Amino acid sequence: MSSGRAEKPLPDIPEEDGSRDDEKGFGNVFAELESVDLSLGTTLRSVYDDQPNAHKRFMEKLEVRIRNHDREIEKMCNFHHQGFVDAITELLKVRADAEKLMGQVTDTNRRLQDAGREVTAQTEEVIRCRIQQRNMTTTVERLQLCIPVLEMYSKLKEQLQSKRHYAALKTMEQLEKVFIPRVSRYRFCQIMADNLPKLREDIKDISMSDLKDFLESIRKHSDKIGETAMKQAQQHRTFNSVVQKQDSGMGYTKPVYSLNGRTPTQHNGLAAAEEGVEDDQSEEEVLTAQDLVDFSPVYRCLHIYTVLGDRETFENYYRKQRKKQARLVLQPQSNMHETVEGYRRYFNQIVGFFLVEDHVLHSTQGLLTRAFTDELWNMALSKITAVLRTHSSYCSDPDLVLELKNLIVIFADTLQGYGYPVNRLFDLLYEIRDQYNETLLKKWVLVFREIFELDNYSPIPVETEEDYKSVISRFPFHDAEIEKQDFPKKLPMSQSVPQIYVQVKEFIYASLKFSESLHRSWTEIDDMLRKSTNLLLTRTLSGCLQNLIKKPHIGLTELVQIIINTTHLEQACKYLEDFITNITNVSPETVHTTRLYGLSTFKDARHAAEGEIYTKLNQKIDEFIQLADYDWGMPESDGQASGYLMDLINFLRSTFQVFTHLPGKVAQTACMSACKHLSTSLMQMLLDCELKQISMGAVQQFNLDVIQCELFASSEPVPGFQGDTLQLAFIDLRQLLDLFMVWDWSTYLADYGQPTSKYLRVNPSTALALLEKVYRGMKDTSKKNNIFSQFRKNDRDKQKLIETVVKQLRSLVNGMSQHS
C-alpha cells in the first residue's frame, strides 16, 4: 500500500460484526500498519499479545479494510479516465506538427551554413596573413639582437674544438656578462646560459683527461728518466774518483743529470776542479725533462683550474694521484731478487718518479711543496727499506748482493743530489752487509767442502825448489829442519791447508768489496773484516771440519792428518791478522781491535778429531772382537793365541806407528784408550750372560790371548809411557784369570778386602759368575765322557771346594749389596 494513499482520509466503512471497542482497537492497529514511521514488528506483536482470538478478528477486520480501499480506487479511476484519453489525443496531433517544424529548421540551418562557409575561409586567410606579417617583423628585430650572441657561441664552439680552452673560458665570460643578458628572455639564450657551466665542466674534464694521460705517460717514462739519471750519476762518481786521486781535498758532488735543465748545487766545490779538467762528459748534452716528457698538460690544467677558481681541487687531485703512483712504483715484482736487472728497474722507476716531482716542485708555484715531497719521500723510504730488507734476504748469491749494494749506493747518490735524505739507505746497507757476509759464508761452505773432498790427506810431496816455493807462496810455512832436507821431500800438512789459507784471504777480499763507497772509516772496516773472518773461522770452517771428522769414510789415517793440518792452520792465524792489518793500516794494538778466534777454532776441531780417533779406534777393536770364535767347551787350549787377536794387535801396532806424528799426548791417550777398551771388551765377552758354561781349556785359551795383549802393552807401541802403565789396562783380566789358572781360592777369600791382596781387582760377583760357568762346564764335560761317577770319586774334594767357594762368594756378594 502506497504512502500517498495512506496520507489521504479514508471513507467511512459501514461496520459489520463486532463491538465498538474492537473497532476502535483495530482501527489504531490499521493506522499504525499504514504508517511508514512505525515498526511493523512492534504493531503485529501488539495484535498477538492483546487478547485471545485477536488474530482471527484482526484478519476479518483487515479483509473489510481491503475491500473498502479497492472500492475507493475504482471510483477515482473512473473519475479521471476521460481526461487521460483527451490528453493522449492532443499529443498525437502535436507530434505531426513538431516533425514538420523540425524539417524546416534543419533545411534553414543547412542553407545558412553553405552561405557562410566561403566568408569564413576568406576571413581566416586574412587573419593568418596579418599574423605572419607581424611575426616576420618581430622576428627580424629579435634576430638582430640574437645574431651576435649566436656568433659568440659559435666562436666558443670553434675554440673548444681547437682545444683553445683558455680563450674559450674568456668567450664564456663575455657571453655571460654582455651578450646573454640582452636576450635573456629567449629560451635558447637560457639554454645557452644553462649550458655554459656544463661547458666549463667539460673543459675541466678535458684538461683533467689530458692530465691523466700525462700521469700515465710519466709512469711509463719514469723508468727511462731514472735509468738516464743513474747512469750519469755513476759516470759522475767515476769522474769524482779521478779528481779525488788528483786532489784529495775534492769531495762528492751532485749529479749532472737534471730534469729542468738546472744542475743541482754542488756539495764540496768541485766546479773549480771541473773547469780545470777536460773531459768528454763536459761536451755531452745535459738531458732535460722536456727531452723525455711533455709537462704542458700539467701547466695547462693548473692554469685552467686556477682561472675557474678550483685550484685547490686540482692540487689535491694531483697529489693524491701521485701518491697512488708512488705506491705502485714502490711495489716490487715478486721475482725481483732473482736478477740484478730486477733491482735496477725498481730503482730506475723510483728515481724517475722523484726526479719528476723535483721538476714539478721547481717549475710550478705551489702545486707541490717541499713538505709534501718530503712526506712522500719518507713514505717511499720506509717502503724501499722494507722491500730491500725482504728481497735481499732471498739472495743466496754474494755477487748479486754486491751488485745490489752498488746499485743502492748509486741510487742514494742520485737522489741525494736533489736534496732527498738517504741516511736510512746507508743504514740499510749495514744490514745488507751482514746478509752479504752470510751469503759469503754459505758460499765458502761449499768451497771448504770441495777442498776437503778433493784432499788426499797425505803430506804434500815437494819434488823441486819451484814446487816448494809454490807452496810457501800460498801458505806461510817455515821449518828449518825440512828446509835443510834434500829434494824430493814432504811437507807435514796435506794439500788442503794452503788451499784453505788462500780461500780465507779470498773471503777477506770479498768481504772488503762491500765496504767500498759506504763512507766508513778504516777502523770500522778493519773491525768488520775481523768479525766476518771470525765468523768464517768459528762457524763455517769449524762446521765443515766437524762434519768432515764425523763422516764415516774418514779413517784413522785421515783423522791423524786432519789434526796435523789444524795445527798448521792454527799457527797461520797470526799471518791472517797481519794480512788484515796491511789492508786497513789499523794497528792491532789499537783499542777495541777485534782478535781472530782461529786458535780456539782449530783447537776445538783438533779435540773433535782426537775424540773421533778414540771412537773409531774402539769401533775397529769391536769389529775384531766380533770375529772371535771361541770354543767354550774345548778340553784344552790350542797352545797359541787366537787368530783374531793377533790380527787386532798387528792392526794396533801399525796404527800407533802413524800416531807418532801426532802432537802432544794424543798418541798416548789413544793407545791407553784402545787397551782399556780391549780389556773391557774381553771381560764382557767372558762374563756374557748368554754364555752359560766354560771349560778350563777355554779359560786357558783365553789366558793365552790376554798374555798377548799384555805383551803388546809391554812392547811400548807408543813411546812416552812410564813403567808398566799401559799393562795396568789389563790388570783386572790378569788377576781374574790367575785366580782360576792357579785355583788360589783360599788366598783370595783370606785376603779379600786387604789393600795388599794379590787379587785386589777381582770383584766377588765377577769371580762368582765365572766360577759358576766353569763349574757347569766341568759337569757337562763329565756327562759327555760318561765318567761323572768316577769324577765324583776322584775329584770329590775339588767339587766340595767349589761348592764351598760358591757359598762364600755369594755371601760376599750379598754383604756388598747390603752395605750398598
Side-chain angles (χ1 to χ4, degrees):
M1 188 177 297
S2 67
S3 60
R5 286 186 294 175
E7 293 175 355
K8 292 180 182 181
L10 297 175
D12 295 334
I13 303 297
E15 293 185 6
E16 295 182 358
D17 296 332
S19 64
R20 298 288 297 181
D21 294 335
D22 292 339
E23 181 67 24
K24 182 178 179 180
F26 287 116
N28 295 333
V29 172
F30 291 142
E32 291 177 0
L33 291 176
E34 292 173 354
S35 175
V36 297
D37 297 330
L38 297 177
S39 173
L40 184 60
T42 305
T43 305
L44 293 177
R45 189 178 300 111
S46 65
V47 173
Y48 288 96
D49 297 339
D50 190 10
Q51 56 185 343
N53 299 323
H55 176 264
K56 182 177 179 181
R57 291 194 303 270
F58 173 74
M59 294 302 296
E60 293 175 353
K61 294 298 181 181
L62 182 60
E63 289 292 335
V64 173
R65 190 82 170 178
I66 291 172
R67 286 194 298 271
N68 290 338
H69 279 295
D70 288 341
R71 286 194 296 268
E72 183 65 24
I73 291 171
E74 185 178 356
K75 286 180 181 181
M76 290 183 67
C77 289
N78 291 333
F79 178 77
H80 293 290
H81 176 70
Q82 187 60 43
F84 175 75
V85 172
D86 294 340
I88 294 300
T89 302
E90 289 296 328
L91 284 175
L92 293 174
K93 292 180 180 180
V94 172
R95 185 177 64 180
D97 294 337
E99 292 177 352
K100 182 179 179 181
L101 179 61
M102 185 63 183
Q104 291 176 354
V105 171
T106 301
D107 181 63
T108 302
N109 180 63
R110 178 181 56 74
R111 288 186 284 107
L112 181 62
Q113 291 294 333
D114 293 342
R117 186 177 291 110
E118 183 177 356
V119 176
T120 301
Q122 292 177 357
T123 301
E124 290 177 353
E125 183 67 24
V126 171
I127 292 172
R128 185 169 59 255
C129 290
R130 288 183 179 179
I131 291 174
Q132 289 179 352
Q133 183 180 9
R134 183 182 59 193
N135 289 343
M136 291 172 64
T137 303
T138 303
T139 301
V140 170
E141 294 175 356
R142 298 295 183 265
L143 287 175
Q144 290 177 352
L145 292 176
C146 295
I147 285 175
V149 179
L150 295 173
E151 290 177 348
M152 289 296 292
Y153 194 78
S154 176
K155 180 180 178 181
L156 173 62
K157 289 293 186 180
E158 291 177 359
Q159 291 171 342
L160 291 175
Q161 291 179 357
S162 61
K163 296 185 177 181
R164 297 164 55 200
H165 297 137
Y166 181 73
L169 291 175
K170 292 296 183 182
T171 302
M172 288 184 194
E173 185 178 0
Q174 292 181 356
L175 280 171
E176 284 183 328
K177 294 183 179 180
V178 179
F179 291 94
I180 291 181
R182 296 177 183 175
V183 289
S184 59
R185 63 180 178 273
Y186 298 113
R187 187 172 61 182
F188 81 92
C189 289
Q190 186 62 39
I191 293 174
M192 285 185 183
D194 295 340
N195 198 35
L196 290 181
K198 182 178 180 300
L199 292 178
R200 285 193 175 90
E201 291 299 323
D202 291 342
I203 291 175
K204 291 174 65 175
D205 293 341
I206 292 172
S207 61
M208 185 59 68
S209 177
D210 293 341
L211 177 66
K212 291 178 180 179
D213 294 339
F214 163 79
L215 293 175
E216 183 65 25
S217 173
I218 200 64
R219 181 183 174 187
K220 295 178 180 178
H221 287 86
S222 292
D223 187 30
K224 183 63 177 178
I225 295 173
E227 179 183 1
T228 306
M230 291 186 67
K231 282 183 178 179
Q232 293 186 354
Q234 187 173 10
Q235 294 172 359
H236 201 57
R237 290 183 68 250
T238 304
F239 171 72
N240 286 342
S241 299
V242 175
V243 174
Q244 286 174 358
K245 290 179 180 179
Q246 296 177 357
D247 187 352
S248 59
M250 296 303 168
Y252 173 77
T253 63
K254 289 192 175 184
V256 175
Y257 181 78
S258 173
L259 268 177
N260 50 14
R262 62 184 181 87
T263 301
T265 305
Q266 297 172 341
H267 278 292
N268 298 320
L270 188 61
E274 291 179 347
E275 292 176 0
V277 178
E278 294 183 0
D279 192 272
D280 293 339
Q281 291 182 350
S282 62
E283 299 177 359
E284 293 181 359
E285 181 182 359
V286 178
L287 294 178
T288 63
Q290 289 76 11
D291 294 331
L292 297 173
V293 179
D294 179 17
F295 284 87
S296 60
V298 178
Y299 307 142
R300 185 166 54 248
C301 192
L302 176 62
H303 189 63
I304 288 173
Y305 272 76
T306 302
V307 171
L308 295 176
D310 206 8
R311 178 188 176 101
E312 183 178 358
T313 300
F314 172 74
E315 291 178 356
N316 293 334
Y317 175 81
Y318 180 84
R319 296 178 184 181
K320 181 179 179 181
Q321 293 302 314
R322 289 300 280 170
K323 280 187 176 180
K324 289 182 178 180
Q325 287 191 340
R327 293 188 179 95
L328 292 176
V329 167
L330 295 171
Q331 188 67 32
Q333 295 182 351
S334 58
N335 61 342
M336 182 180 72
H337 60 277
E338 295 178 358
T339 61
V340 70
E341 289 301 321
Y343 289 107
R344 182 173 285 111
R345 286 192 298 270
Y346 182 67
F347 289 136
N348 288 343
Q349 291 177 355
I350 296 174
V351 170
F353 177 88
F354 281 99
L355 263 61
V356 168
E357 293 302 278
D358 181 78
H359 174 76
V360 173
L361 174 65
H362 291 89
S363 61
T364 58
Q365 295 181 353
L367 177 58
L368 295 180
T369 62
R370 175 56 66 181
F372 172 79
T373 55
D374 289 345
E375 178 186 357
L376 199 61
W377 170 245
N378 289 331
M379 181 270 292
L381 201 56
S382 299
K383 180 66 175 179
I384 292 169
T385 53
V387 166
L388 293 179
R389 186 178 292 111
T390 300
H391 282 262
S392 63
S393 64
Y394 299 148
C395 294
S396 58
D397 183 7
D399 295 333
L400 179 58
V401 179
L402 186 61
E403 290 182 354
L404 172 61
K405 167 257 176 182
N406 293 331
L407 281 177
I408 294 176
V409 171
I410 297 173
F411 172 75
D413 289 347
T414 304
L415 290 174
Q416 189 178 33
Y418 291 88
Y420 295 104
V422 293
N423 292 334
R424 290 168 63 183
L425 289 176
F426 284 99
D427 293 339
L428 174 65
L429 283 175
Y430 304 145
E431 298 179 22
I432 296 179
R433 180 192 64 190
D434 298 335
Q435 175 66 24
Y436 174 71
N437 287 335
E438 288 296 325
T439 58
L440 286 180
L441 293 174
K442 293 178 181 179
K443 179 179 179 180
W444 256 256
V445 167
L446 303 178
V447 173
F448 289 147
R449 285 179 181 175
E450 183 178 5
I451 291 174
F452 290 140
E453 289 176 0
L454 298 178
D455 194 10
N456 56 8
Y457 298 99
S458 59
I460 301 176
V462 179
E463 301 293 337
T464 63
E465 181 72 21
E466 289 73 14
D467 294 340
Y468 180 76
K469 290 181 179 179
S470 175
V471 174
I472 63 175
S473 65
R474 293 180 293 132
F475 181 76
F477 174 76
H478 303 286
D479 190 308
E481 294 183 0
I482 294 180
E483 290 178 357
K484 294 177 181 179
Q485 296 176 4
D486 297 331
F487 293 100
K489 52 188 175 183
K490 291 184 178 181
L491 303 183
M493 64 279 190
S494 67
Q495 190 64 44
S496 62
V497 173
Q499 293 176 350
I500 290 174
Y501 184 80
V502 170
Q503 287 301 323
V504 172
K505 293 172 66 176
E506 290 295 327
F507 176 86
I508 295 173
Y509 278 128
S511 182
L512 178 63
K513 288 181 180 179
F514 197 91
S515 300
E516 298 175 353
S517 306
L518 292 187
H519 312 297
R520 309 297 285 183
S521 66
W522 281 110
T523 302
E524 293 174 304
I525 294 175
D526 180 87
D527 183 68
M528 183 270 294
L529 290 179
R530 293 177 183 273
K531 288 181 178 179
S532 60
T533 306
N534 276 333
L535 286 176
L536 178 71
L537 297 176
T538 59
R539 193 171 72 183
T540 304
L541 182 55
S542 177
C544 291
L545 285 171
Q546 297 291 341
N547 293 333
L548 174 67
I549 292 169
K550 297 296 182 181
K551 287 185 176 181
H553 71 274
I554 298 296
L556 294 172
T557 304
E558 288 81 0
L559 290 171
V560 171
Q561 188 62 54
I562 289 173
I563 293 176
I564 296 172
N565 290 348
T566 54
T567 302
H568 289 282
L569 288 172
E570 179 182 341
Q571 296 171 356
C573 284
K574 61 179 181 179
Y575 296 100
L576 290 176
E577 290 194 348
D578 295 339
F579 177 72
I580 295 176
T581 301
N582 292 334
I583 292 176
T584 61
N585 292 324
V586 177
S587 174
E589 285 77 20
T590 305
V591 182
H592 305 306
T593 298
T594 304
R595 311 296 299 180
L596 293 184
Y597 301 145
L599 300 178
S600 61
T601 298
F602 296 121
K603 284 182 180 178
D604 294 341
R606 188 161 56 252
H607 292 160
E610 293 170 2
E612 194 66 19
I613 285 177
Y614 308 148
T615 302
K616 287 186 178 295
L617 195 57
N618 292 340
Q619 291 175 353
K620 198 67 177 178
I621 293 174
D622 292 338
E623 293 176 4
F624 280 100
I625 293 295
Q626 290 175 1
L627 297 177
D629 188 18
Y630 286 102
D631 181 7
W632 298 108
M634 61 193 317
E636 58 184 10
S637 66
D638 295 338
Q640 58 182 4
S642 303
Y644 86 93
L645 188 69
M646 297 306 298
D647 293 338
L648 172 58
I649 291 175
N650 293 332
F651 165 75
L652 292 177
R653 290 185 187 278
S654 61
T655 301
F656 291 144
Q657 287 178 359
V658 178
F659 284 8
T660 56
H661 300 289
L662 290 174
K665 296 183 179 181
V666 178
Q668 297 177 13
T669 305
C671 186
M672 177 58 74
S673 173
C675 290
K676 286 183 178 180
H677 184 72
L678 177 58
S679 176
T680 303
S681 300
L682 292 174
M683 180 69 77
Q684 291 176 352
M685 183 189 305
L686 199 60
L687 300 178
D688 189 3
C689 295
E690 296 181 0
L691 180 60
K692 301 301 182 181
Q693 58 187 19
I694 301 176
S695 67
M696 286 304 298
V699 173
Q700 294 171 3
Q701 180 65 40
F702 201 82
N703 182 58
L704 292 176
D705 293 343
V706 174
I707 291 173
Q708 289 298 324
C709 294
E710 291 172 330
L711 291 175
F712 168 74
S714 62
S715 66
E716 196 176 9
V718 173
F721 286 106
Q722 296 181 357
D724 56 353
T725 303
L726 193 58
Q727 290 177 272
L728 292 177
F730 300 96
I731 189 63
D732 292 353
L733 270 174
R734 171 47 48 211
Q735 291 185 7
L736 179 63
L737 291 173
D738 285 349
L739 178 61
F740 278 84
M741 294 300 296
V742 179
W743 207 254
D744 194 8
W745 292 105
S746 58
T747 304
Y748 174 76
L749 294 173
D751 295 342
Y752 178 76
Q754 300 296 324
T756 59
S757 174
K758 180 180 178 181
Y759 305 103
L760 182 63
R761 305 299 296 269
V762 178
N763 189 285
S765 60
T766 304
L768 176 62
L770 184 58
L771 181 60
E772 289 177 342
K773 293 181 180 182
V774 171
Y775 182 52
R776 285 193 291 268
M778 294 172 64
K779 290 197 299 182
D780 185 68
T781 301
S782 299
K783 289 181 181 179
K784 287 181 181 180
N785 296 331
N786 200 18
I787 56 173
F788 184 74
S789 59
Q790 183 180 0
F791 166 77
R792 291 179 60 87
K793 292 179 180 179
N794 298 333
D795 298 325
R796 186 181 302 274
D797 295 338
K798 188 174 184 179
Q799 182 181 5
K800 290 182 178 180
L801 175 62
I802 292 176
E803 291 176 353
T804 304
V805 170
V806 167
K807 291 180 181 179
Q808 292 181 355
L809 289 176
R810 287 177 179 172
S811 177
L812 291 176
V813 170
N814 294 332
M816 291 175 59
S817 61
Q818 290 177 0
H819 288 298
S820 61

